[in-house]
Amino acid sequence: MTPAAATSPTRAYRRLSVEERRTQLLGAALTLFAHRAPDEVSLDEVATVAGVSRPLVYRYFPGGRQQLYEAALRSAAEALILCFAEPAVGPPTERVTRVLDRYLAFVDEHDAGFSALLRGGSVAETSRTTTIVDEVRRAAADQILLHLGRGEGGSAPGPRLRMMVRTWIAAVEAASLIWLDEEKQPPAPELRDWLVDQFIGLLAITAATDPGTAAAVAELLPLETAAGPAGRLADRLIPVVGEAAHLLPPG
């Protein structure tokens, strides 16, 4: 065999389509934005990670870093919204548990970028980026309401139930930021379970004074199991409630 024949053939170069190249550049940008604040990332770094020239980055994103950041943010927002999509199968609290598993995995993977995104204060923040973040929050709330049997083809959620769900979404967001500040402690499964307990608690409290939420809870309770999140929380709370028996009105 001749030396030429023994040499491995060089892989043929393939020109990327416009969409493939754009996806490649967004992927490189997201890799950098995941761990650094947007205003700390340069186009030169994006080009290096993508393995292309700086002028090529400008060809696809003539608005420079700001346009690239907004496009990357939109891509990340779409992925984050998908975290909340869950088939309407099984107990609702178990669905919420799976949603939080995906959400916290996203936060873990995009830690610094997630923090910069939600805290704001970046030079890259504009009304457009704020709108994208708000879209994620509203889409997340809509998905959670679907797990509660409200929205789209079902009964419309009442204002108190909508407020309760959006309040919980805000609490999840705040807890995620604090979790990052606390070096991701407690472990993600413990944080997830605590947030699910909060969700159940807020539902119960709201149902106690809001007939619309009470109706939703009455429909969902038969779907829950003793081994699921709602059953486990009830088992832990019964002794606590027993200690407060003296607060109940005389029978």
Side-chain angles (χ1 to χ4, degrees), residues 118-228:
L118 293 184
R119 282 199 170 105
S122 164
V123 296
E125 183 181 16
T126 65
S127 60
R128 291 188 298 275
T129 62
T130 301
T131 297
I132 293 171
V133 174
D134 285 342
E135 286 175 7
V136 173
R137 292 168 177 152
R138 291 181 180 278
D142 287 343
Q143 287 293 326
I144 294 299
L145 285 167
L146 287 177
H147 296 313
L148 297 177
R150 295 296 182 266
E152 281 195 7
S155 303
R160 288 283 298 280
L161 182 57
R162 286 199 306 272
M163 183 178 290
M164 173 250 132
V165 169
R166 292 183 65 182
T167 298
W168 181 74
I169 294 292
V172 169
E173 187 177 293
S176 300
L177 292 171
I178 295 170
W179 185 60
L180 294 177
D181 282 344
E182 295 293 330
E183 299 181 346
K184 300 177 183 178
Q185 291 297 321
E190 291 183 25
L191 176 60
R192 172 206 64 204
D193 289 346
W194 183 61
L195 291 171
V196 173
D197 286 348
Q198 285 191 29
F199 180 71
I200 298 169
L202 281 171
L203 261 180
I205 292 168
T206 308
T209 56
D210 179 53
T213 304
V217 169
E219 294 171 15
L220 297 173
L221 274 177
L223 302 176
E224 297 294 331
T225 66

Side-chain angles (χ1 to χ4, degrees), residues 17-116:
S17 68
V18 171
E19 189 57 35
E20 287 173 329
R21 180 67 74 188
R22 189 173 187 278
T23 299
Q24 178 199 30
L25 294 175
L26 285 177
L30 282 171
T31 297
L32 292 167
F33 292 142
H35 301 292
R36 307 229 321 264
D39 44 301
E40 296 176 357
V41 175
S42 71
L43 287 186
D44 286 332
E45 291 175 293
V46 174
T48 298
V49 171
V52 300
S53 66
R54 191 172 192 268
L56 183 63
V57 178
Y58 264 111
R59 185 187 306 170
Y60 282 83
F61 298 96
R65 181 175 61 187
Q66 182 64 37
Q67 183 184 6
L68 178 58
Y69 171 64
E70 290 177 11
L73 177 59
R74 169 64 67 185
S75 177
E78 291 170 357
L80 192 53
I81 289 172
L82 287 177
C83 291
F84 288 86
E86 177 72 22
V89 178
T93 56
E94 293 183 14
R95 297 180 219 160
V96 172
T97 298
R98 291 191 290 271
V99 162
L100 284 175
D101 276 336
R102 289 192 294 271
Y103 179 86
L104 291 175
F106 183 95
V107 174
D108 185 25
E109 182 182 354
H110 300 82
D111 45 20
F114 179 87
S115 181

